[in-house]
Amino acid sequence: MSSKPLIVYLAARGFEQDLLDELRLHNVRVLEVKERLVLAEGLFHSAWAQNIWLEPFFQPITSVGNAVRTLKSIQRNWKLHAVDFHRRAALIEQQLPPVKAKPLVFGESAPTSPLGSWTLWDHDTLLVSATCSSAFPDGEVRFEEDKVNPPSRAYLKLWETFTLLGDGPKSGELCLDLGSAPGGWTWVIASLGASVFSIDKSPIDPRVAAMKGVDHCLGSGFGLEPQTAGHVDWLFSDMACYPERLLGTVKAWIEADAAENFVCTLKLQGSTDHAVVQAFREIPGSQVMHLSCNKHELTWVNLGKMRRRAA
Ligand SMILES: C[S@@+](CC[C@H](N)C(=O)[O-])C[C@H]1O[C@@H](n2cnc3c(N)ncnc32)[C@H](O)[C@@H]1O
């Protein structure tokens, strides 16, 4: 018998193969795949998992009522991720206590009460995990969107990042936003009261450029020299660029001790380069994640306090 724990990975939508490839590269043995659910031996915090069921077990059931009693006896809050036996799963779900489904208003904290996940693996067997890596149902964060002010939907990436971190730029902090047009990220940062030096080859929305604390400059995000640019509290990059080039740039900023915190999008073209993702992950104190609104891209986060702790 393997000494590695049983784990269930929920692949980010459309990135099942990326998850399987990353698990293979990290010696996680896949036992079975059902749609986006991957049953495996061994825990690896894959960037392509939207949620990870950390302590899954199989539970035989004799009836719908028996399944409901079993789940309720473990804890209150459950998220069904059905891959089969949809009608029977729905009958069980209907009898479980409701879980708050309202979208989050930005600024609210992530939920703190435990949310378990379950599925009907076969007609008479639940696959259940009371603990999961994400506090959100299926790891997806939904917000009450602002359809008026931000000039692009990219602002949702920063809203989600700051909510997951429980941290973000504060009033008076200095931020660099590389690849900022049309201005969604700059809008979020300025809305939090921080100062933003916003750089793109294209102009940003004039309403964002006019916000208090925003200074926009036309140019390349790779043109700034970290040794001479001065220290920033946060360096953001959503530049459409090769991840290898971004890797060299963030390493230079870290080496020069010129930026405290980083939030950068890794834009992955064609087939995913797992080696470059791993190179970002290996920078001490890093997290690499697939946000709910990320497409074929990942978000790399590196906070100074985590970097120093990990070094
Ligand atoms: C996905 S968009 C950024 C969206 C932006 N974060 C927002 O919230 O609206 C990518 C941007 O990267 C910019 N870009 C690509 N290469 C760049 C470079 N070398 N320097 C600066 N900007 C760059 C593009 O002009 C484009 O505006």
Side-chain angles (χ1 to χ4, degrees):
M1 218 176 100
S2 166
S3 59
K4 292 186 174 173
L6 197 64
I7 299 288
V8 176
Y9 298 86
L10 174 66
R13 287 173 202 276
F15 298 105
E16 295 82 354
Q17 193 55 50
D18 286 300
L19 171 66
L20 292 172
D21 291 344
E22 204 176 45
L23 293 180
R24 185 176 35 81
L25 286 169
H26 291 274
N27 299 318
V28 172
R29 193 160 81 95
V30 170
L31 304 174
E32 206 171 338
V33 180
K34 289 195 182 188
E35 298 181 0
R36 292 167 58 206
L37 286 186
V38 176
L39 179 68
E41 275 176 350
L43 176 61
F44 174 72
H45 283 276
S46 170
W48 299 102
Q50 204 68 46
N51 197 13
I52 303 177
W53 303 11
L54 296 166
E55 296 178 297
F57 61 92
F58 290 105
Q59 176 67 43
I61 52 162
T62 52
S63 64
V64 166
N66 175 242
V68 173
R69 282 190 297 281
T70 302
L71 289 166
K72 278 182 169 175
S73 72
I74 301 171
Q75 66 186 27
R76 183 193 183 280
N77 294 335
W78 291 101
K79 165 67 183 161
L80 162 65
H81 184 92
V83 288
D84 210 342
F85 310 101
H86 293 271
R87 269 175 57 82
R88 189 166 164 84
L91 287 173
I92 299 169
E93 186 186 35
Q94 280 157 21
Q95 295 180 51
L96 291 171
V99 174
K100 187 180 161 235
K102 258 179 52 187
L104 215 61
V105 173
F106 177 60
E108 285 177 354
S109 310
T112 49
S113 40
L115 176 63
S117 292
W118 68 279
T119 194
L120 267 179
W121 198 249
D122 62 41
H123 186 268
D124 296 318
T125 313
L126 294 175
L127 178 56
V128 179
S129 179
T131 46
C132 293
S133 61
S134 174
F136 292 91
D138 279 351
E140 284 174 7
V141 188
R142 289 186 310 119
F143 286 101
E144 197 83 66
E145 293 193 26
D146 184 336
K147 299 207 163 129
V148 179
N149 296 300
S152 68
R153 287 194 83 234
Y155 75 98
L156 289 168
K157 296 186 216 172
L158 282 194
W159 274 13
E160 183 169 346
T161 303
F162 298 155
T163 303
L164 295 176
L165 292 178
D167 201 355
K170 314 225 170 7
S171 176
E173 288 192 326
L174 179 60
C175 306
L176 255 184
D177 184 10
L178 310 179
S180 57
W185 285 27
T186 295
W187 173 81
V188 174
I189 301 162
S191 306
L192 292 171
S195 301
V196 201
F197 192 57
S198 162
I199 304 177
D200 201 296
K201 296 169 174 173
S202 305
I204 58 171
D205 186 300
R207 290 174 306 147
V208 179
M211 286 172 80
K212 185 169 176 276
V214 174
D215 189 358
H216 178 65
C217 160
L218 285 177
S220 171
F222 295 113
L224 276 180
E225 281 299 326
Q227 288 84 359
T228 50
H231 190 271
V232 295
D233 297 296
W234 293 80
L235 186 150
F236 296 93
S237 168
D238 199 20
M239 282 189 286
C241 65
Y242 289 109
E244 294 80 0
R245 191 163 185 208
L246 183 64
L247 179 66
T249 298
V250 299
K251 282 187 166 173
W253 280 83
I254 291 174
E255 270 160 33
D257 195 20
E260 175 67 5
N261 306 303
F262 296 81
V263 177
C264 300
T265 309
L266 316 184
K267 312 263 180 186
L268 299 152
Q269 288 105 358
S271 62
T272 301
D273 178 352
H274 294 280
V276 78
V277 173
Q278 184 59 19
F280 273 97
R281 192 183 274 121
E282 284 172 3
I283 297 174
S286 293
Q287 287 181 64
V288 186
M289 52 197 173
H290 187 271
L291 301 174
S292 311
C293 57
N294 277 350
K295 300 200 171 70
H296 191 203
E297 58 188 19
L298 295 171
T299 298
W300 171 73
V301 175
N302 189 281
L303 302 184
K305 61 185 177 196
M306 305 301 283
R307 193 163 63 245
R308 284 187 288 279
R309 205 175 295 164

